[in-house]
Amino acid sequence: MRVGILTGGGDCPGLNAVIRAVVRKGIRDGHTVAGFRNGWAGVMEGHCFELDLENTSGILHRGGTMLGTSRTNPFRTDGGSGKVKAALEAEGVEALIPIGGEDTLGVAGRLWKEDGLPVVGVPKTIDNDLGCTDFTFGFQTAVQIVTDAIDRLHTTAESHNRVMVVEVMGRHAGWIAVHSGIAGGADAILVPERPFDVDEVCDRLRRRHETGRTFSIVVIAEGAMRQGGEGPSATEQVTDAFGHARLGGIGVELEHEIEDRTGFESRVTILGHVQRGGTPTAYDRVLATRFGVAAVDAVNDGAFGTMVALHATEIRQVPLEEALREPKLLDEALYETAEVFFG
Ligand code: F6P
């Protein structure tokens, strides 16, 4: 069979590990593999090349994606889904493996449902907010990067008696904020799932400083919102092809508000795309490899319209529709565990 593969949406450490796994397992099972460039944009343009053992060697540990990526949405492009079908037919692609998050896999789900396109999704996002899988690859690497940053911020916070506000990624969900906050010993963690009240945050910091502590670490997800507020802070009003605003800046607002209200000198660090760059952790390399192999198994089984997913220690096939129904939000119990260490 000729199998196509694409990477869409924001990049994520581990994408190359999935590509390598699909190619190695695919060739071993008698398939050929076509790599489409730049997500759905490359599929619509029929922009692809042959992936083989040679051009996918040496990429396991590399961040980014050798295929390139984009946030192009065929359903927002004139005749987009027709172009996808025509390009796959022209290339003789009989099965397509899109690697992506809610947007890229959302397109795959629609193409499967509306046009019967044979797709098997692989879940990717550093945000870890895709349904039906315990973890997405890339998340663990992002958490490690943030934790390393918090460790560094701790020593400078301590030296200057400052409040350090750390803004991390997480559009709908606070998984990165909570995991790295627990690992880094944060004194407050603000997430999209729990709108915050800045006065409460300041009270908590004051109480902590009254017990003799002279510095604090506050982790805030970019998608965090104020109680009664309208929505997360966006850097621009324009939205992407999937209707998402470019988030960012809530940390800057919080830094000023904390300093003004408490008088504690504060500084903000926005980690931004550093969280998505560089080499994947060993955990993410293994998970990405397992997902890639399992995606080819799903193609062999004819299990189209599914996504490979991690359930405890097993990789399973779940219906794409179910995985995409709603974002996977924070586990309440995990947040309560983090709270034990606040203030
Ligand atoms: O979806 C993953 C993510 O990293 C979000 O956390 C973030 O809001 C978004 O991508 C940023 O996207 P871009 O790289 O297009 O600015």
Side-chain angles (χ1 to χ4, degrees), residues 10 71 125-127 169-171 222 246-247 273 276:
R71 293 196 186 276
T125 165
I126 64 161
D127 289 3
M169 281 189 173
R171 179 177 287 282
E222 62 179 357
R246 196 181 296 173
L247 299 185
H273 291 79
R276 291 215 316 238

Side-chain angles (χ1 to χ4, degrees), residues 44-98:
M44 286 193 291
E45 293 156 8
H47 195 182
C48 75
F49 64 107
E50 193 69 27
L51 290 172
D52 55 31
L53 300 181
E54 206 166 313
N55 62 14
T56 56
S57 93
I59 62 169
L60 170 64
H61 63 287
R62 299 204 55 199
T65 162
M66 69 174 287
L67 292 175
T69 186
S70 73
R71 293 196 186 276
T72 301
N73 181 353
F75 290 102
R76 284 272 193 102
T77 311
D78 227 10
S81 64
K83 286 183 187 163
V84 169
K85 271 187 291 176
L88 294 182
E89 259 174 45
E91 290 299 329
V93 169
E94 296 154 278
L96 184 65
I97 301 179

Side-chain angles (χ1 to χ4, degrees), residues 170-173 189-198 201 220-234 247 250-251 253-254 257 329:
R171 179 177 287 282
H172 309 293
I189 305 175
L190 308 175
V191 294
E193 293 89 337
R194 292 181 167 228
F196 68 91
D197 173 12
V198 74
V201 176
I220 184 164
E222 62 179 357
M225 287 174 279
R226 296 162 195 285
Q227 281 174 14
E230 281 173 7
S233 297
L247 299 185
I250 186 75
E253 294 172 24
L254 191 66
E257 286 166 281
L329 300 183

